[in-house]
Amino acid sequence: MDMQIFIIAFLTIPLLASLAPFIVRNKRFAEYASLVSSSLVLIGSSIILYLSVSLKTISIFNKAIVIDEFGAYIILLVGIVYFLSSMYGISYMRLAIEDEKMTDKELGRYYLFLNLFALTMLIAPMINNMAIYLIDIELTTITSAFLVVTEITEKSIEAAWKYIVVVSVGLSLALLGTILFYLSGNIPGSAHIVSSLDWTVLSSHAAYLNKDIVRFAFVLIVIGFGTKVGLSPMHTWLPDAHSEAPSPVSSMLSASLLNTAMYGIMRYFSIAGKDVGFGYPKAIMIVIGVFTIFTGVMGIINQKSTKRLFAYSSIEHMGIISLGFGLGGLFGTFGALLQMLSHSLAKPIMFFGSGNLLHKYKTKDIRKIKGVFYVMPKTAFLFSIGVLALIGAPPSVTFISEFLIILQSLKNGYYIVTIILVSLLVAAFVGLLAKVGSIVFGKADDDPDIQKGDFGPLSILPMALPLVVLIILGFYIPANLHHLLIGITHVIRK
């Protein structure tokens, strides 16, 4: 197989799908073009993962593109969420047009930027040069900002501007951090000059970088890319953007974009660790991880909007992933990687369910959404089981990942961190369960405008598919997945 041709074809698929609304001016064509594109991308990302495991590293175009097991894993997670969101988006956008929330012209713009957004996220884990990676992450901001304002309202425009401003400021700091990493290898008079921003070169020559510059640069990287990840206190854009975007977009923002940005932090984490020792970057990730979990849990407890509720849940989960990577070791890193997978599977269920609720009840206000079990039984069932999987109720893969992170914390002797983590996880468990329980089983007011019955299969199937996988993984983690995650832990520390 010619890998250059394969990668070009792989990336061309979503690009062509983005042009579908302008090639054939038929909204049905754009819908199914995106679905076909996401299906092919999912197949292609699986092939890339298989090849990266077999070959250890895919390197093409004179090492401009380098895909190892870690990068391939992130690509697969993006492919999964892209596929689920494209499928659910057909139902969601048709209902939005019926509700006169958008026109056919706005629908064409939606499919243009949906596929471009997916494309930018697929490219990011392939890029070897960290400066170009930073540019690509900025492109994810631009494409997704247009998606946030798909339904043009005062709140969505405000959310998009907030998203652009806050994230751009953060990425400016990431740019400064990137420049400093470059300068750390170009100190005049140094015995070894490392004149490159390729992460493969920086990683293999990390011992020769200036330690003082690297320490400061890594802090800027965590703050900068942490803004995109939603790490606290740089998270302020996330609840608004996730809440105002259409539900398929909220799913991609939460379950794909955050992982893609975390990938960049972990590349620098590996380089910094090999230069100054892993104790320094690990301490930073632990502190910001615990603070982010706290912020997410407080937002969950005080939330009154369905989509903002799960936006704060995303913040909490990114904090858990950060903490897992910070704790390190086999259990901590393995648990963080597994948490990435569980979050990518669970969050689409919750945002798709929230989309169904929005179309049925015409509101995001939790206090006004009651008795979903009697109004939309299929959605209610999947929504209820989905939240149990999301909060780590056994059997679910989320329970396994969080349990491993707790074990690593105990193994490291961080008893205070363990107590704080367990307390916050319990608080999130109770908070989410109480709010979703109120939505699903609360006493509903008799409203003649609310017709009983679920929407079509395309609004149910994208919720059911990831839920089945979550439950299966809770009982059994395949040997191939286990070996993959073990391999990635070695990549991060290699």
Side-chain angles (χ1 to χ4, degrees), residues 282-296:
K282 284 168 66 175
I284 292 174
M285 297 296 284
I286 289 171
V287 171
I288 202 167
V290 171
F291 187 47
T292 301
I293 297 170
F294 174 79
T295 301

Side-chain angles (χ1 to χ4, degrees), residues 356-374:
N356 289 351
L357 298 180
L358 176 61
H359 282 308
K360 180 67 70 171
Y361 289 84
K362 314 302 181 187
T363 181
K364 302 171 191 172
D365 192 335
I366 293 173
R367 295 166 298 183
K368 297 179 181 178
I369 304 174
K370 305 291 182 183
V372 178
F373 183 79
Y374 307 101

Side-chain angles (χ1 to χ4, degrees), residues 14 72 82 98 123 132 135 138 188 210 222 267 325 340 389 434 438 440 474 490:
Y82 177 34
E98 288 179 12
I123 291 173
I132 299 176
I135 294 171
E138 186 61 62
N210 182 280
V222 172
R267 285 302 187 195
F325 283 131
M340 281 183 159
S438 171
V440 174
H490 295 316

Side-chain angles (χ1 to χ4, degrees), residues 219-238:
V219 172
L220 292 176
I221 290 295
V222 172
I223 295 173
F225 287 124
T227 304
K228 194 77 175 181
V229 174
L231 299 179
S232 183
M234 299 82 67
H235 68 283
T236 52
W237 65 272
L238 193 150

Side-chain angles (χ1 to χ4, degrees), residues 293 296-297 300-301 316 391 423-434:
I293 297 170
V297 172
I300 289 170
I301 292 172
E316 179 219 357
I391 59 182
S423 300
L424 290 174
L425 289 177
V426 170
F429 187 99
V430 174
L432 277 168
L433 206 58

